[in-house]
Amino acid sequence: MNYLKQLLSSLKCLVYILIEMGLVFLITFLYACYNQERLEYYIIHHVSIISIVINIILIVFLIKKYHIKINSPSLKKNYPYIYFAVSFTVFFNLLTILNGKAISNKYNIYILIISTCIIGPILEEIIFRKLLCDSLNKFNNKKSTILISSLIFSVIHLDLIKSLYAFIVGLVYGTLYQKNKNIIDSIVAHTASNLIVILIHNFDKTTFILSIFCMLISISTILISNTSTKKTCKIMSSWYNYYYKIKGVYHEKNISNNIYLHVFMWLWKQRSI
């Protein structure tokens, strides 16, 4: 019973998500009352902008209220986890495209990137990793905290398919935060994942196979790196050479899908920083 009370107390931070959703809904409702004919135009062109403004206000408020420090990302230590987050995102996104559930491209791409790849990840990581995980850590071990926070993160997405995806990546984001207590690490992974979702619109067999291959790479690298860093670097060198060969053939493919490979190239180079 005491555990349940502590758990419910930890969920208080979710009120900030409800505030953001409530304000956007309220503004949209008021607009619909006075101009229902242009409601679709308003949703496509203005809702994201309103959400961005509200989220920025919340981010500033939370950073000041909880004295949150934003440090430099630890890419050298965390690149295998970001590898997995990005490759799983590509894999999952291509599966949804294959099933005819691709994200609509009717929204302004620049506003979409600012909203879902910059502002959104910052706010969500502050709430779900910084505030929620820190609260859960008071009465849970690290593994339980990561699992519980990921479950809550998935439920918030209110969609079965999105919730499944959110749970898996939530485990990665939670692990990144628990490793170094540096919120910027999970923000980088979250941003990279969301950017991939926006940029990939068409199913590509080569990219799909590469995403599976890279998931195996990242998982094995995480496991190996716990025992032998030198062996990890040796194995990763051979994998990197394989990527480089693919790049020579792959550059003529769709540019949005090609970005996936460039992300891996860039992440691999960060290992020696």
Side-chain angles (χ1 to χ4, degrees), residues 156-194:
I156 287 294
H157 283 76
L158 303 174
D159 179 274
L160 183 60
I161 295 177
K162 289 182 180 179
S163 293
L164 176 61
Y165 165 76
F167 175 71
I168 301 298
V169 293
L171 292 174
V172 179
Y173 304 155
T175 302
L176 283 171
Y177 178 68
Q178 292 286 59
K179 280 184 67 184
N180 304 307
K181 297 298 181 182
N182 187 6
I183 195 67
I184 195 65
D185 293 334
S186 58
I187 290 175
V188 169
H190 198 155
T191 296
S193 298
N194 285 9

Side-chain angles (χ1 to χ4, degrees), residues 15 21 47 53 122 150 162 187 225 255 266:
V15 70
M21 294 172 63
V47 167
V53 173
I122 293 174
S150 299
K162 289 182 180 179
I187 290 175
S225 63
I255 185 64
W266 180 80

